[in-house]
Amino acid sequence: MSAPGTSSEPGTQPGIDPRGPRFGAAITAVLLLVVVGLALSGSAVAATAVLAALVAIFAWGAFAGIRRHPWGRLYATLVAPRLAPPTHREDPAAPTFAQLVGFLITGAGLVLHLLGVPGAFVVAASMAFIAAFLNAVFDYCLGCQLYVLLVRAGAIRPRRA
Amino acid sequence: MDSPALLAIAALVIGATAIGLVIRARSGRVVVSDASQAADARLAVAGADVTLLQLSSPVCSACAVMRRVSEELVAGERGLARRELDVTEHPDLASAHNVLSTPTTLLVDAHGVVRGRIVGAAKPAEVRAAVQSVRESIGAAA
C-alpha cells in the first residue's frame, strides 16, 4: 500500500514500523484463543490468569504507549533486525488507541466474570480475539473504527484550543 | 482440550477470517449517490468542480494512505481539489453524512452537494474513476 517516492522526509514524522503492532496482535490473538479454549474446557483458574495477564499488557500499551508495549519491544529486538526496513511509518496514536479498546473490552470481561456473570469471559475474549486477528492478518484496526462512533455519540469531544 | 473448546476456536478463526474478507472486499469501494441530499456550500473548495472531502480521525492509519493517494491525484488534475477534516472537530458532519469509519471521502460538487463517497483507502485508479463518474453525473444533470 506504499507509494514509492511519496514517503515523508526522515525525521519530520518519526512514527513506528506498522508491522510491530501487527506482530503484537498476532501474539495477543493466539493468547486470546488459549483463554477461550481453557475457559470452555473447564480450566477457569488458568483462563482467568491468562486473561488477567492480557488485561495488564493491554493497559501497558494503552497508558505507556505502543512504543513501550512488551510485544513491541520483542518485535524491535528480535524480529525487526531480520526484516527489511519498513516502506512507511505510521502514527503511534492508532495502535495505542486500539490497545485502550482492548483493555476496556478484556477488562470488562474479567470484572463481569469475577462478579459472576456467566459467559462474560468467553464473550469478551472472543470479541478481543476478532479485533486482534483482523489487525494481525488483515491490517484492519477494528478498535480504531470505534473512534468515529464515540465522536458521534458525544463520548469524545473536540479539544478546546 | 475437549471438542466444544476446539469447535469454538475453529469457529472464531473461521468467523474472523470471513469478517476480514468482507472488510477487505468493501474497503475502498466507491458509491455514487443520487445527489438527493441538500447542498452544503461549506463542503466544497471554491473554484473546484469536484472536491474530495476526506473525513479523518487521529487514530487512523489508512487515512494517511488515502491522503497520499488523493494529494497525488489533485496535483495532476485540473478542477479537482481536496480538503481533510477531523471528525473529532466536526461530529455534526460525521452524523449528517452517516460516517461510520475513517477515512470516508465524500465527493462533493461545486455547489456542495455530496455526489458519492469512498469508504477506506482506495487505489488511485479507483479514485480517478469515481471522480470521472461524478463529473458525468454532474454533466447529465446540467
Side-chain angles (χ1 to χ4, degrees), chain A:
Chain A
M1 283 302 263
S2 71
T6 56
S7 59
S8 58
E9 302 83 346
T12 50
Q13 202 197 2
I16 55 167
D17 183 342
R19 296 168 298 181
R22 289 181 70 183
F23 171 81
I27 301 177
T28 304
V30 170
L31 289 176
L32 285 163
L33 278 188
V34 169
V35 169
V36 172
L38 287 172
L40 291 179
S41 47
S43 313
V45 176
T48 310
V50 178
L51 189 67
L54 280 171
V55 172
I57 287 170
F58 275 128
W60 192 337
F63 300 115
I66 194 78
R67 288 169 209 255
R68 297 191 190 84
H69 193 284
W71 306 154
R73 309 298 310 167
L74 199 64
Y75 175 80
T77 48
L78 289 182
V79 183
R82 294 159 203 273
L83 300 178
T87 51
H88 69 286
R89 293 187 166 269
E90 74 173 2
D91 189 333
T96 301
F97 183 77
Q99 291 290 311
L100 178 64
V101 174
F103 168 70
L104 293 176
I105 289 176
T106 51
L110 192 61
V111 169
L112 291 175
H113 169 70
L114 295 176
L115 291 175
V117 177
F121 203 82
V122 171
V123 169
S126 299
M127 285 165 63
F129 165 75
I130 290 171
F133 181 89
L134 290 177
N135 200 338
V137 177
F138 291 94
D139 195 13
Y140 183 81
C141 180
L142 191 64
C144 301
Q145 301 301 351
L146 285 177
Y147 186 91
V148 186
L149 304 181
L150 292 174
V151 165
R152 287 181 56 176
I156 297 175
R157 296 185 182 280
R159 274 163 294 171
R160 308 266 171 245

Side-chain angles (χ1 to χ4, degrees), chain B residues 12-82:
Chain B
L12 274 175
V13 173
I14 293 168
T17 304
I19 294 170
L21 291 174
V22 169
I23 289 171
R24 181 175 281 180
R26 293 175 67 97
S27 166
R29 206 176 52 148
V30 176
V31 179
V32 176
S33 55
D34 56 359
S36 57
Q37 279 167 306
D40 183 349
R42 295 172 304 162
L43 302 182
V45 170
D49 67 335
V50 177
T51 299
L52 299 171
L53 173 61
Q54 181 177 330
L55 295 166
S56 298
S57 76
V59 295
C60 172
S61 301
C63 293
V65 176
M66 189 59 185
R67 181 180 310 134
R68 281 201 294 272
V69 167
S70 59
E71 273 172 355
E72 233 167 89
L73 217 60
V74 165
E77 241 180 276
R78 212 188 311 166
L80 185 63
R82 77 176 292 276

